[in-house]
Amino acid sequence: MAIEIRQLRYAVATADTQSFSRAAALLNVKQITLSRRVHQLEEQLGVKLFERSTRGAEITENGRPFIEQARRIITDVDNLQTTARNVSYGLRGRIAVGYCSPIISPLTKSGPSDSERVLKDEIGCSDGDEA
């Protein structure tokens, strides 16, 4: 059986809040659901991630490296989702470069100055492009 990203999120939230009930509230799920899923994860791994008590849930020494890796995986999955959305919106790979001509040279009514033409040539703009 594969580990689900949801199980990782449940375990990390539990570690962060040191409580199954607070983690469940944070993730907007029932506490029993979160607790069962974390227990299933522990069974799959063969590692006890949390020491449970009436005061909450304390991460075990054996659970600490797992939670650290789970955090990185969650971040990678979140970044992957963001990248996929950005690509679908056409945002990936675009860069915009601009400049303010009054800073580069005095304003002239006769068109771009020599320094503006040189700058446009250096950054690859044609006369119709905005830099």
Side-chain angles (χ1 to χ4, degrees):
M1 184 176 204
I3 295 172
E4 299 175 15
I5 189 72
R6 183 178 304 157
Q7 288 174 301
L8 298 181
R9 289 186 193 281
Y10 289 175
V12 169
T14 301
D16 289 346
T17 62
Q18 298 180 336
S19 164
F20 285 98
S21 59
R22 286 191 298 265
L26 180 71
L27 296 171
N28 200 27
V29 297
K30 292 181 180 179
Q31 186 269 331
I32 189 71
T33 301
L34 183 135
S35 183
R36 283 183 183 158
R37 298 292 286 243
V38 170
H39 181 72
Q40 288 171 350
L41 177 61
E42 290 174 322
E43 291 290 317
Q44 283 178 269
L45 298 170
V47 174
K48 189 174 182 180
L49 299 174
F50 298 98
E51 196 63 53
R52 293 150 173 86
S53 73
T54 55
R55 294 188 326 258
E58 186 176 331
I59 190 166
T60 65
E61 197 61 39
N62 291 336
R64 205 169 300 284
F66 177 83
I67 295 297
E68 289 172 15
Q69 185 67 35
R71 257 185 238 289
R72 287 191 290 272
I73 291 168
I74 291 167
T75 299
D76 287 346
V77 167
D78 290 345
N79 289 340
L80 182 62
Q81 290 171 333
T82 299
T83 299
R85 272 193 302 276
N86 287 346
V87 167
S88 73
Y89 297 141
L91 299 177
R92 186 179 164 105
R94 280 189 77 186
I95 186 166
V97 178
Y99 70 94
C100 181
S101 60
I103 293 173
I104 296 174
S105 65
L107 288 174
T108 62
K109 293 184 180 188
S110 61
S113 69
D114 289 337
S115 60
E116 286 174 310
R117 279 191 211 95
V118 169
L119 181 60
K120 284 183 176 183
D121 288 342
E122 286 178 7
I123 62 173
C125 294
S126 67
D127 287 336
D129 292 337
E130 287 185 58

